[in-house]
């Protein structure tokens, strides 16, 4: 919501506009500031610019650039051998001396979030005087991920002024600031060939938008040449189960070209036959995993159980391009060692990075009514790239760099759901106690390995556990109920016709807890139930009460071996 300005504030901004229109930069101030700042900027930020030969040496021009940092106008300015004029948020002009200094070196204010005709008029006046104006079409700083979406203002300026537009890409400046501290960072720029458009006195919003749509890919091209992260355009999904199919639908909804990979041709036919029921769009191409165009994908999604990750990675891992992001959906541990999915995949594929999907995201509901999910990854740009896609598909997305916590929280909620269902015949109190103890033991493991407590308390942990406990179609809850009925872990997959990851994960989790020397009697007893070492009745009897109090002490590292 735009802020309300007093008449005095408006008058002050108008004075800055009028001063820059009539006088331009203050020559003495400009020369002094440039003499001081240019060598500092070039050295401290190691400015590397390409394509400067495309910058017109005289006459009006619009420098249209992406915006990563407050430093962008300055690093662009040192590459242009004459004064440039650029917009700056109006708040920077609130302090009189600071506002005067900015105005003196070529800045003029813009009211962000509003249709600022005064700013447009100033830019047009400067261009009519043959001066260079820097415009940031995104309208605000986009610090992470791919470039943002442009606004049509740059198209309007190009049409009304008739000035050539130089596409500019800037990268690296987003790394210069941490809090109030300015750090040395390498700033790289690339200038493209100027583009010109016929002059139109009063272009319609549609026409201005069309011109912007033609300009922006030129800036995007310079950005990608600098190694900037491109927007996600194509997705390859391995695994056509409920979650894989749901993600295919969501990615298609966000405008991506999507291929959904099935294990066999028969599975392809099954998915095709269920298109209408699963709401899978016609644009999604259903193929076998061998036929997936993994080499062309920007996002490769591994929507398979953790136990199937080794086979999936062996099949397509070497084909994943270095520029791609891998999205790991598995909520469990990878056998035989109990490796976290992101660690397993990251060590074996050449992709740019791995991002993990966590949180309560029941597949069918995510497609029909949306969901709140967690994206965890070490690379903030990759997280933002995927967050943009999922947000465009209608999901609410939280981001975190706590990969360990997110993955172990997903593992913990599956194990806790299994424990609760297996103990449920003894009553709701027993089910709650079993879930709480298993969940708490997994959290201790996560904290020892560097996770943050708030991850388990948030969407990825408690939120996901509640959703699993309530969901009628929860595979892990159903697996626990079947264990309580006396079925063995080997018999359950045939009954479910799906994989309940907790059956594979609980013994691995117990082993990891034992190797860390953590007290984990609840998980250890649950692992014994899964392996068939104890009966369901014995598990239920040991959940709570004097007779069945969990054994204290440490679990030996041999558990699960």
């Amino acid at each position: 919501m735009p802020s309300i300005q007093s008449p005095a504030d408006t008058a002050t901004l108008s004075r800055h506009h009028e001063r820059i229109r009539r006088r331009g930069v203050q020559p003495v101030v400009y020369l002094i500031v440039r003499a001081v700042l240019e060598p500092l900027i070039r050295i401290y930020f190691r400015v590397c610019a390409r394509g400067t030969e495309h910058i017109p040496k005289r006459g009006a021009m619009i420098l249209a650039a992406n915006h990563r940092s407050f430093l962008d106008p300055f690093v662009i300015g040192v590459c242009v051998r004459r004064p440039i004029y650029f917009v700056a948020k109006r708040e920077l002009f609130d302090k009189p001396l600071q506002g005067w200094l900015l105005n003196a070196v070529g800045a003029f204010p813009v009211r962000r979030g509003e249709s600022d005709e005064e700013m447009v008029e100033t830019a047009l006046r400067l261009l009519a005087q043959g001066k260079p104006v820097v415009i940031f079409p995104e309208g605000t700083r986009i610090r992470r991920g791919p470039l943002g979406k442009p606004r049509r203002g740059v198209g309007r300026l190009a049409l009304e002024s008739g000035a050539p537009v130089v596409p500019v890409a800037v990268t690296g400046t987003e790394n210069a600031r941490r809090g109030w501290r300015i750090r040395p960072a390498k700033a790289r720029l690339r200038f493209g060939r100027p583009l010109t458009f016929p002059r139109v006195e009063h272009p319609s919003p549609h026409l201005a938008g069309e011109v912007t749509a033609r300009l922006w890919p030129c800036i995007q091209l310079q950005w990608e040449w600098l190694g900037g992260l491109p927007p996600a355009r194509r997705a390859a999904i391995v695994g056509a189960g409920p979650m894989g199919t749901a993600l295919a639908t969501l990615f298609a909804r966000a405008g991506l070209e999507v291929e959904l990979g099935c294990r066999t041709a028969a599975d392809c036919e099954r998915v095709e036959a269920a298109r209408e029921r699963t709401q899978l769009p016609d644009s999604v191409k259903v193929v076998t995993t061998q036929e997936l165009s993994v080499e062309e994908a920007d996002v490769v999604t591994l929507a398979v159980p953790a136990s199937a990750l080794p086979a999936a990675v062996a099949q397509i891992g070497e084909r994943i391009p270095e520029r791609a992001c891998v999205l790991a959906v598995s909520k469990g541990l990878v056998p035989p060692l109990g490796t976290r999915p992101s660690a397993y995949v990251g060590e074996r594929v050449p992709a740019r990075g791995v991002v993990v999907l966590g949180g309560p995201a029941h597949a069918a509901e995510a497609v029909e009514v949306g969901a709140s999910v967690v994206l965890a990854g070490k690379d903030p740009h990759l997280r933002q790239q995927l967050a943009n896609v999922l947000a465009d598909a209608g999901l609410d997305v939280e981001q975190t760099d706590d990969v360990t916590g997110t993955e172990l929280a997903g593992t913990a909620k599956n194990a806790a759901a299994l424990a609760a269902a297996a103990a449920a015949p003894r009553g709701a109190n027993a089910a709650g106690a079993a879930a709480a103890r298993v969940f708490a033991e997994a959290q201790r493991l996560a904290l020892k390995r560097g996770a943050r407590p708030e991850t388990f308390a948030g969407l990825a942990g408690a939120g996901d556990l509640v959703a699993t406990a309530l969901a009628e179609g929860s595979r892990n809850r159903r697996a626990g109920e079947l264990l309580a009925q006396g079925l063995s872990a080997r018999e359950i997959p045939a009954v479910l016709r799906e994989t309940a990851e907790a059956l594979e994960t609980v013994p691995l989790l117990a082993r990891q807890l034992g190797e860390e020397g953590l007290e984990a009697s609840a998980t250890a007893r649950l692992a014994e139930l899964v392996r068939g070492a104890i009966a369901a009745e014995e598990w239920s009897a040991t959940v709570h009460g004097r007779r069945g109090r969990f054994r204290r002490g440490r679990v030996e590292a041999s558990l699960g071996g």
Side-chain angles (χ1 to χ4, degrees), residues 152 155 159 197 204-217:
R152 61 174 179 258
L159 289 168
F197 300 89
S204 67
H206 174 75
L207 182 58
E210 288 296 310
V211 170
T212 301
R214 285 162 174 73
L215 282 169
W216 194 245

Side-chain angles (χ1 to χ4, degrees), residues 438 440-446 449 506 508-520 523-524 555-557:
V438 169
E441 289 170 359
Q443 183 181 22
R444 286 198 287 272
L445 175 65
R449 293 184 174 177
V506 165
L508 296 171
L509 179 61
R511 177 176 178 175
Q512 293 288 310
L513 286 160
E515 289 176 351
E516 292 287 357
L518 295 170
E519 194 284 316
T523 307
V555 181
E556 299 300 326

Side-chain angles (χ1 to χ4, degrees), residues 246-256 258 279 281 283-284 366-370 389 392-395:
L247 286 171
T249 301
L250 293 170
F251 286 162
R253 188 180 293 171
L256 275 63
V258 183
Q279 302 182 46
S283 61
V284 175
V367 171
E368 293 174 6
V369 298
V389 171
D392 287 343
L395 301 190

